[in-house]
Amino acid sequence: MTISVLDPQTALVLIDLQKGIVSRQTVHPIPGVMANAVALAKAFRARGLPVVLVNVAGLAPGRTEAPRMSGAFPPDWMELAPDLDEQPTDLKVTKRTWGAFHNTELEKLLRERGVSQIVLGGVSTSAGVESTARQAHERGFNVALAVDAMTDMSPEAHENSVTRIFPRLGETGTAQEIIAKLGETRA
């Protein structure tokens, strides 16, 4: 469903917009994805709403058929992309699996602030963003997904998440549609 309203206490959660990931080849050009994520962050900050910047610092254990990174990450791999302009009021969460709720303090940080809804963006659509959306939905948060503030390494995976999975987990919209809804509250 297209974004209808945002809860009064909504947080922006941006997934894996870090140097080591935004430097990779993606379906949608990173400068456009970053511009939309930055616009959302500025709008949330201007309204005093929480902005959560999530980075990833490892991989879940276990065998997979997909090739995995081996060895140590490059020194600045986990650093947030400078365009995000991290602020002292931003919350930072480091995860070690795809989803940002698993073994992190994300839920606690959101509950302490009375957050009932999250807006998600980041990389990659079908992994970190989708996993976090699923986990948020399972925990009872309303979920909105800024589809132009996210991308993937696979066009098919991105399309599947946006068209088949996300409508079952929440509402979708563009960054500008979500920014336009920030002033509205539930009746």
Side-chain angles (χ1 to χ4, degrees):
M1 173 177 211
T2 302
I3 189 76
S4 58
V5 297
L6 293 176
D7 295 352
Q9 198 55 27
T10 297
L12 175 65
V13 180
L14 296 173
I15 304 294
D16 300 347
L17 295 177
Q18 63 194 65
K19 289 181 180 180
I21 293 179
V22 300
S23 64
R24 298 178 70 191
Q25 185 66 34
T26 58
V27 174
H28 306 94
I30 283 293
V33 171
M34 286 298 299
N36 292 324
V38 167
L40 284 164
K42 286 181 180 178
F44 272 73
R45 290 173 186 138
R47 289 164 179 81
L49 294 171
V51 173
V52 183
L53 304 174
V54 179
N55 69 341
V56 63
L59 301 169
R63 292 186 300 271
T64 66
E65 292 181 10
R68 297 170 66 120
M69 285 183 69
S70 61
F73 293 118
D76 66 347
W77 195 85
M78 294 183 299
E79 290 178 22
L80 293 170
D83 293 357
L84 291 174
D85 190 29
E86 183 179 3
Q87 297 296 304
T89 56
D90 294 345
L91 305 170
K92 188 171 177 188
V93 172
T94 298
K95 63 186 180 76
R96 287 171 175 72
T97 62
W98 283 1
F101 284 92
H102 181 73
N103 284 339
T104 72
E105 298 227 343
L106 179 56
E107 184 172 10
K108 177 180 176 274
L109 294 170
L110 296 174
R111 299 275 185 220
E112 287 173 350
R113 288 156 179 81
V115 170
S116 58
Q117 182 170 21
I118 65 168
V119 172
L120 279 167
V123 179
S124 80
T125 308
S126 66
V129 176
E130 183 178 315
S131 294
T132 302
R134 287 175 184 267
Q135 293 170 351
H137 183 264
E138 290 166 355
R139 287 166 169 76
F141 290 97
N142 291 318
V143 178
L145 298 121
V147 296
D148 60 351
M150 64 180 70
T151 191
D152 205 288
M153 286 61 175
S154 161
E156 297 84 8
H158 175 83
E159 186 67 20
N160 184 66
S161 293
V162 170
T163 62
R164 292 186 176 94
I165 305 299
F166 292 168
R168 298 173 70 190
L169 300 174
E171 297 179 325
T172 60
T174 66
Q176 287 309 308
E177 289 169 338
I178 291 167
I179 290 167
K181 297 291 183 184
L182 277 174
E184 299 176 17
T185 60
R186 269 192 205 279

